[in-house]
């Protein structure tokens, strides 16, 4: 078969308008794109039936669990989940066993990702040795081994001196410290947001200040060192207000929000069901609204899923005992499209940008996030017309832990290409 593929009868969004789209893939790259494109002889034509064509989506926050926790997920299943959701580039967190805190381990992990992944995987380096928060890694050595993103995600870095040292090193290369902002002393061992909902279920509450206080401290350190400070999964109104103010002051700060913090609040938790347990927890309705406002006014830079698979058994233990996190790769686009674009709260352009070009820009990722002639043919195709029900038996992830199972959504993925290779297709 020819390696030339012509996608016809698609649509794409440009300047907030849907226009006809045809796209020619040649030798793994985008060779032409426009309202009408001729493929020449021997081209393989694919009819997209009016579906939406977007750049392959970019998710800067996923957990692939390999090595160490392959009962929850593997690089193969996690990347299969990603392409099922239209993602072609994902950034994988370093809460692995062993973690990749030395150049040799980092190189090993990159190799492992390459061997088993069907998508482009950007590996995070931990910020601290062993992710223990006591001593910063050697950033220059990790950089030489290929590390571009740094995070201890899963845990906050408690020691301000360690953050200061890490940021000083990171600033030299203009690399981001991506922070799971959490002060353990202020978390009070909470498993759900502190407030009336926690009280209703008699569960220990995690106060919002455990996040906000840590962000305040780290913003000041970022300002002093000039480092790029990226806040993972921001969740409280006060955090967003602080980041907005810091941006106005010229601090080099960016942040992401998860789909679940945009879609849910703690008052949506009807019973002690750990499918609603994640960290940071679902917050108050006003925090959920602040996340929306922050996205729309540019305080929040992008959306990232925090895809965090666990086994069914682990998640069936209620809020007190279950691990934190929900899966997100396979449902993010459709949920956000259905709840916000169809409801005219965001535009389709905004949603696509927050999931592609915006993460590309804040982390300076090469050759992703745009539909551009000459770039690798990383492409997602979504069906905006046909409703589908979210079902766990259709997940490619090993994790089934999602509070959105049973929801009816528009915008399911119909095709995903990575470097011009068809890696997911709804039809077969
Ligand atoms: Zn986190």
């Amino acid at each position: 078969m020819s390696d030339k593929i012509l996608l016809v009868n698609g649509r794409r969004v440009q300047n907030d308008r849907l226009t006809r789209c045809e796209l020619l893939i040649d030798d793994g790259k985008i060779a032409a794109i426009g309202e009408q494109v001729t493929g020449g002889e021997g081209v393989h034509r694919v009819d997209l039936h009016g579906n939406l064509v977007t750049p392959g989506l970019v998710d800067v926050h996923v957990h692939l669990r390999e090595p160490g926790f392959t009962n929850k997920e593997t690089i193969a299943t996690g990347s299969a989940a990603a392409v099922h959701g239209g993602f072609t580039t994902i950034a994988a967190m370093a809460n692995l066993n062993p973690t990749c805190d030395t150049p040799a381990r980092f190189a090993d992990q990159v190799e492992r990702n390459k061997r088993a992944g069907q998508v482009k995987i950007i590996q995070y380096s931990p910020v601290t040795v062993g992710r223990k928060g006591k001593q910063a890694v050697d950033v220059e050595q990790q950089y030489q081994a290929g590390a571009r993103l740094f995070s201890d995600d899963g845990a906050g870095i408690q020691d301000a001196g360690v953050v200061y040292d890490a940021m000083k090193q990171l600033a030299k290369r203009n690399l981001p410290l991506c922070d799971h902002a959490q002060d353990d002393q202020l978390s009070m061992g909470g498993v759900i947001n502190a407030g009336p909902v926690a009280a209703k279920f008699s569960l220990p509450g995690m106060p919002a200040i455990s996040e906000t206080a840590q962000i305040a401290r780290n913003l000041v350190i970022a300002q002093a060192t000039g480092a790029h400070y990226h806040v993972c999964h921001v969740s409280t109104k006060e955090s967003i207000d602080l980041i907005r103010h810091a941006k106005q002051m010229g601090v080099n700060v960016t942040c992401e929000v998860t789909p679940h913090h945009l879609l849910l609040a703690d008052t949506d938790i009807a019973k002690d069901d750990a499918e609603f347990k994640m960290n940071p927890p679902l917050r108050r309705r006003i925090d959920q609204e602040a996340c929306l406002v922050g996205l729309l006014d540019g305080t929040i830079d992008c959306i990232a899923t925090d895809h965090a698979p666990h086994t069914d058994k682990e998640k069936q233990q209620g809020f007190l005992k279950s691990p934190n996190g929900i899966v997100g790769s396979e449902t993010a686009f459709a949920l956000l499209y259905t709840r916000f674009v169809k409801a005219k709260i965001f535009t389709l352009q905004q949603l696509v940008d927050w999931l592609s070009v915006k993460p590309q820009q804040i982390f300076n990722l090469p050759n992703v996030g745009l539909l551009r002639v000459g770039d690798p043919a990383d492409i997602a195709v979504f069906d905006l017309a046909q409703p589908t029900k979210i079902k766990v038996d259709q997940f490619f992830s090993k994790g089934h832990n999602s509070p959105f199972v049973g929801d009816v959504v528009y915008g399911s993925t119909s095709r995903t290409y990575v470097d011009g290779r068809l890696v997911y297709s709804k039809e077969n």
Side-chain angles (χ1 to χ4, degrees):
M1 198 175 80
S2 153
D3 58 359
K4 271 190 180 186
I5 304 163
L6 182 62
L7 307 180
V8 299
N9 199 15
R11 289 181 300 161
R12 70 168 155 159
V13 61
Q14 271 188 305
N15 306 319
D16 260 322
R17 285 187 42 232
L18 275 173
T19 53
R20 234 180 95 109
C21 174
E22 295 190 348
L23 191 151
L24 180 67
I25 300 170
D26 189 3
D27 201 18
K29 297 212 162 41
I30 298 175
I33 182 165
E35 296 214 355
Q36 238 180 341
V37 170
T38 37
E41 222 150 276
V43 73
H44 174 63
R45 284 169 70 91
V46 177
D47 189 339
L48 300 182
H49 308 288
N51 283 352
L52 176 74
V53 182
T54 74
L57 302 183
V58 178
D59 188 353
V60 295
H61 193 145
V62 304
H63 297 274
L64 295 180
R65 309 297 194 203
E66 181 182 348
F69 310 94
T70 50
N71 56 330
K72 299 173 191 271
E73 192 78 294
T74 65
I75 295 161
T77 58
S79 65
V83 298
H84 184 211
F87 292 96
T88 57
T89 297
I90 58 178
M93 285 298 175
N95 55 341
L96 305 166
N97 190 15
T99 189
C100 41
D101 57 355
T102 65
R105 286 202 188 122
F106 190 86
D108 271 1
Q109 186 62 28
V110 169
E111 238 350 274
R112 208 177 275 124
N113 290 343
K114 239 185 231 158
R115 262 200 318 270
Q118 336 180 17
V119 284
K120 294 171 183 173
I121 301 174
I122 301 166
Q123 180 61 48
Y124 276 90
S125 163
V127 177
T128 68
V129 176
R131 273 184 71 254
K132 291 189 181 352
K134 303 285 182 216
Q135 186 197 340
V137 295
D138 186 320
V139 168
E140 182 60 24
Q141 279 191 15
Q142 293 292 86
Y143 175 83
Q144 294 301 341
R148 295 295 180 270
L149 303 177
F150 291 74
S151 183
D152 270 10
D153 185 62
I157 304 169
Q158 303 307 307
D159 189 323
V162 173
V163 173
Y164 183 70
D165 177 28
M167 282 198 184
K168 267 200 311 190
Q169 293 191 58
L170 290 162
K172 289 186 190 150
R173 288 279 184 191
N174 194 26
L175 301 170
L177 190 154
C178 304
D179 188 27
H180 172 116
Q182 179 177 344
D183 181 313
D184 288 347
Q185 285 189 323
L186 297 176
S187 300
M188 317 278 178
V191 298
I192 190 169
N193 187 47
V197 177
K200 183 171 111 186
F201 295 116
S202 304
L203 289 167
M206 183 188 286
I209 54 163
S210 64
E211 172 181 303
T212 311
Q214 190 86 335
I215 291 175
R217 183 196 79 180
N218 289 348
L219 282 170
V220 177
I221 301 174
Q223 187 179 34
T225 55
H228 175 187
Y229 177 47
H230 177 81
V231 182
C232 301
H233 44 53
V234 67
S235 73
T236 81
K237 179 178 186 303
E238 293 76 13
S239 300
I240 295 163
D241 288 344
L242 271 179
I243 292 165
R244 183 180 293 113
H245 183 61
K247 282 189 167 184
Q248 284 160 2
M249 287 167 61
V251 179
N252 188 3
V253 57
T254 56
C255 65
E256 73 197 28
V257 66
T258 68
H260 44 276
H261 289 107
L262 290 166
L263 290 158
L264 295 171
D266 62 354
T267 44
D268 294 317
I269 304 169
K271 56 180 201 292
D272 182 359
D273 176 1
E275 304 293 25
F276 290 83
K277 183 183 179 188
M278 62 287 283
N279 187 11
L282 297 175
R283 304 286 191 185
R284 302 160 300 177
R285 191 71 71 196
I286 59 163
D287 298 306
Q288 183 194 353
E289 286 160 8
C291 289
L292 274 169
V293 171
L295 250 187
L296 289 165
D297 75 11
T299 303
I300 297 173
D301 297 272
C302 68
I303 301 171
T305 68
D306 194 6
H307 175 78
H310 294 289
T311 64
D312 293 353
K313 212 173 148 198
E314 287 172 304
K315 285 301 258 188
Q316 280 157 5
Q317 304 174 94
F319 264 89
L320 263 185
K321 290 198 183 138
S322 291
N324 289 304
I326 62 169
V327 292
S329 300
E330 296 170 86
T331 54
F333 181 86
L335 281 167
L336 295 167
Y337 174 75
T338 305
R339 281 278 298 275
F340 296 116
V341 178
K342 275 182 90 70
K344 300 199 185 323
I345 296 167
F346 310 156
T347 66
L348 183 56
Q349 180 83 61
Q350 284 174 313
L351 178 58
V352 172
D353 286 355
W354 287 324
L355 287 168
S356 57
V357 70
K358 294 294 290 183
Q360 182 274 325
Q361 286 169 347
I362 59 174
F363 291 143
N364 201 18
L365 308 174
N367 298 332
V368 300
L370 290 168
L371 289 174
R372 202 165 48 182
V373 172
D375 275 359
D378 296 344
I379 295 161
V381 182
F382 296 100
D383 181 349
L384 305 183
Q386 208 52 257
T388 52
K389 195 182 238 187
I390 296 174
K391 293 185 187 152
V392 287
D393 61 6
Q394 286 165 359
F395 283 177
F396 288 86
S397 172
K398 282 192 180 185
H400 300 152
N401 44 309
S402 165
F404 303 109
V405 171
D407 281 18
V408 174
V409 291
Y410 294 80
S412 62
T413 312
S414 42
R415 283 171 172 263
T416 308
Y417 292 90
V418 172
D419 287 326
R421 268 178 310 113
L422 184 64
V423 287
Y424 171 73
S425 168
K426 198 194 276 185
E427 278 113 65
N428 44 53

